[in-house]
Amino acid sequence: MDDEIFISASFFIVKYHHVQKSPMDEKRLTIQQKLYALTLCAIVFMMVYNFAAWYVSKLPEVPSFVFDFENYIPFISWSIISYMTSGIFFCLVFFFCQNKEQLKVLTQRMLFITIVSGICFLLFPLKFSLSKPEVDSSVLGYSFQFLKVFDSPFNQAPSLHIAYAFIFWSVFRNVKSGRTFLMLWLILLGISTLTTYQHHFIDIITGSILAHLCFVIFPYRKNDFLYRNFHVANIYFLSGWIIILMAILINQFLGKAGLIMLWPGFMILLIGYHYQKNDISFLKNKAGNIPWFKKIFYFPYLLLYRIFWQFFRKNKTPVEVVPRLYISSRPDHKSLKDFKPDKTTLAYDVSAEMEELSLIKDKTTYHSFPFLDIGTFDTKETKKLVSEITVHYRHLPSDGKILIHCTMGFTRSSVIGILVIKNILSLPLTEAITIMKTHNKHAVIPTYLEDFLKKI
């Protein structure tokens, strides 16, 4: 049967045509498809890059943007080796795609970055301004001569080398062997943009921002729950790079006070890394406490959650969804006045970003089982938690009760509560969801979580 794959964005529409011979081939990529995607991206790159370079070269004056600290960046001639491999990676990356969706997303991202960069080159033309030392080595010298001819000094911000390197890694990170080597090489490639005196620092930051904007706009497996953390992580990465750019710009024009913004910038990048790794315990320990040094480093993040919790949570008082099973946001002393926790109470804290209330830890049988906010639920850990709560519920003393809470009380506690209700009452999933939404009117179950609930 005929199969068509559309790659669409505001700038382009691309259609693949091929003939499927059997259902087994439906998701299989052909060499022709990979070559087509490579050819398309290469042609668009050459047209955009060369036109922008030609246009800017005709301007009477092209400015440069250099931070003060760039005068201390050394020129390292041998770094040209890693710099030149960007073209090789550009050609190879298409052949490492494992399925049609990955090839489609890669093509979308490459075209988006190329076209948006070209627009930036035309609207905000910049040129490299530092003088480049002469290179005596014949091999390295030829490489630098090649750059003089084919690599424009005008197409600067955002750096295509940097933006492409992030895109390359989004594919190469899935290879089974040589993954660490490829990661380190791409890092060297990124550094080489500075040490070969081809780019200024503003180009590197804007290239990083463009790459992560691209990841947000064109997510891989957007509707797949297992990739939820990657989508959230990319939003954190994008935010972190923007804040870092603001910090160095403020430092350049208004004074060193702007450098304080590097703290939240790097903090947000690190949080994105934790989301990518689904590191549920990056803040809290099993006792529900956050160590003092983490409180200091993550203070802006913790403060933001405290503000959200203080002013935007709805279900402040524990809600009884079925007899002796309660759902709530992270409680305070006032909200526990009528709940009256004691040693027959089992408290399950599924939040990852706020310390547990001392009253809960001291007076109940406390369990910390964190999940990242608006992130994925590990299937194995979720089943383990739901089974544990189900067993404890069935063996509760006559005056016992169970409290499940997250930070805001909207999603994480509701999801676990639904699965527990399904277990203890032996109900279909839809009925368990109805019970939860009936009693906990502030429960939020996004579409991607409904799919997860059906699978689990």
Side-chain angles (χ1 to χ4, degrees):
M1 64 177 179
D2 292 332
D3 186 27
E4 299 179 347
I5 302 175
F6 291 92
I7 301 177
S8 61
S10 58
F11 303 103
F12 51 83
I13 298 179
V14 180
K15 184 188 290 186
Y16 287 119
H17 291 279
H18 68 283
V19 177
Q20 300 287 358
K21 295 183 179 180
S22 71
M24 292 294 292
D25 293 329
E26 191 169 341
K27 295 183 180 181
R28 190 175 301 163
L29 279 172
T30 64
I31 293 295
Q32 289 84 355
Q33 287 174 315
K34 296 177 181 180
L35 281 171
Y36 181 86
L38 168 60
T39 303
L40 173 66
C41 291
I43 290 173
V44 171
F45 166 77
M46 288 186 289
M47 291 175 62
V48 170
Y49 187 89
N50 290 324
F51 175 77
W54 171 81
Y55 174 83
V56 177
S57 69
K58 300 298 182 181
L59 297 177
E61 186 176 352
V62 181
S64 299
F65 192 99
V66 188
F67 290 108
D68 294 337
F69 62 82
E70 292 188 60
N71 293 314
Y72 300 99
I73 296 176
F75 176 78
I76 304 174
S77 60
W78 58 262
S79 62
I80 189 67
I81 298 172
S82 55
Y83 183 87
M84 295 286 286
T85 56
S86 181
I88 298 173
F89 283 126
F90 188 106
C91 297
L92 288 179
V93 68
F94 295 91
F95 298 94
F96 279 80
C97 289
Q98 300 171 349
N99 55 63
K100 291 179 182 177
E101 184 179 3
Q102 191 176 32
L103 180 63
K104 180 187 76 171
V105 172
L106 172 65
T107 307
Q108 288 175 325
R109 290 171 174 177
M110 295 288 281
L111 291 174
F112 176 82
I113 281 178
T114 302
I115 294 171
V116 173
S117 295
I119 294 171
C120 291
F121 298 154
L122 296 175
L123 295 179
F124 312 104
L126 294 172
K127 67 178 179 181
F128 190 81
S129 61
L130 299 180
S131 59
K132 191 177 300 182
E134 290 294 327
V135 179
D136 296 330
S137 169
S138 57
V139 176
L140 298 180
Y142 287 138
S143 298
F144 279 101
Q145 287 298 320
F146 177 87
L147 286 184
K148 270 187 181 179
V149 176
F150 294 101
D151 202 359
S152 167
F154 300 112
N155 295 344
Q156 292 290 300
S159 166
L160 282 170
H161 267 71
I162 294 296
Y164 284 156
F166 278 110
I167 303 302
F168 299 155
W169 178 242
S170 70
V171 175
F172 291 140
R173 70 188 310 277
N174 298 312
V175 301
K176 294 181 179 179
S177 59
R179 182 173 179 271
T180 301
F181 171 78
L182 288 170
M183 178 186 67
L184 294 174
W185 191 268
L186 288 173
I187 291 173
L188 284 176
L189 191 158
I191 295 172
S192 72
T193 58
L194 295 173
T195 56
T196 55
Y197 283 14
Q198 289 296 121
H199 281 281
H200 289 300
F201 196 77
I202 189 72
D203 314 338
I204 311 307
I205 297 295
T206 52
S208 302
I209 290 173
L210 179 59
H212 287 94
L213 175 63
C214 167
F215 292 150
V216 171
I217 294 176
F218 301 105
Y220 177 57
R221 295 190 176 177
K222 179 180 180 180
N223 299 318
D224 190 334
F225 178 72
L226 296 177
Y227 284 79
R228 176 70 183 175
N229 276 20
F230 285 91
H231 307 330
V232 177
N234 284 324
I235 295 174
Y236 275 110
F237 288 142
L238 175 61
S239 303
W241 287 120
I242 291 173
I243 292 174
I244 290 172
L245 175 60
M246 292 171 59
I248 58 178
L249 287 174
I250 292 173
N251 173 70
Q252 181 79 3
F253 296 110
L254 300 178
K256 296 189 180 300
L259 293 178
I260 191 66
M261 292 181 63
L262 289 176
W263 168 25
F266 286 116
M267 180 202 71
I268 291 172
L269 290 181
L270 188 57
I271 292 171
Y273 173 80
H274 289 306
Y275 263 86
Q276 203 173 62
K277 297 294 183 182
N278 196 31
D279 185 3
I280 57 176
S281 300
F282 80 96
L283 276 174
K284 289 167 62 171
N285 56 30
K286 283 295 183 182
N289 299 318
I290 301 176
W292 65 267
F293 60 92
K294 291 185 178 180
K295 287 181 180 179
I296 294 174
F297 180 74
Y298 290 102
F299 175 75
Y301 179 71
L302 298 174
L303 177 62
L304 189 61
Y305 262 99
R306 173 67 66 168
I307 293 171
F308 285 154
W309 174 81
Q310 187 69 43
F311 295 103
F312 300 109
R313 75 191 195 279
K314 299 295 183 181
N315 50 341
K316 300 178 182 180
T317 303
V319 175
E320 190 174 23
V321 289
V322 296
R324 300 190 292 170
L325 179 64
Y326 293 79
I327 303 293
S328 79
S329 60
R330 188 265 196 186
D332 56 18
H333 287 85
K334 184 179 179 181
S335 62
L336 293 176
K337 184 177 180 181
D338 296 326
F339 183 72
K340 297 177 182 178
D342 55 33
K343 283 301 179 184
T344 64
T345 303
L346 279 73
Y348 283 89
D349 174 10
V350 296
S351 67
E353 55 283 322
M354 284 190 72
E355 275 194 324
E356 184 57 277
L357 188 68
S358 297
L359 178 64
I360 292 287
K361 290 186 288 187
D362 296 340
K363 289 198 172 184
T364 71
T365 303
Y366 172 74
H367 302 270
S368 178
F369 225 110
F371 295 95
L372 296 175
D373 194 12
I374 65 172
T376 189
F377 285 74
D378 181 86
T379 303
K380 182 179 178 181
E381 293 300 312
T382 302
K383 288 181 177 179
K384 178 183 175 182
L385 173 60
V386 171
S387 297
E388 180 181 317
I389 296 175
T390 301
V391 170
H392 285 160
Y393 181 87
R394 288 171 176 162
H395 293 88
L396 276 177
S398 57
D399 58 344
K401 52 195 172 186
I402 294 177
L403 170 65
I404 304 173
H405 82 78
C406 53
T407 299
M408 302 296 289
F410 296 142
T411 300
R412 287 170 287 182
S413 55
S414 299
V415 167
I416 300 302
I418 287 168
L419 294 172
V420 172
I421 292 170
K422 180 180 180 296
N423 269 13
I424 61 180
L425 299 181
S426 300
L427 293 175
L429 177 63
T430 53
E431 291 186 30
I433 293 175
T434 300
I435 290 174
M436 175 60 69
K437 289 186 174 181
T438 300
H439 293 87
N440 180 17
K441 298 186 184 300
H442 301 293
V444 178
I445 311 297
T447 303
Y448 69 87
L449 276 176
E450 289 183 3
D451 296 337
F452 167 73
L453 286 169
K454 290 174 184 177
K455 292 178 181 179
I456 199 170

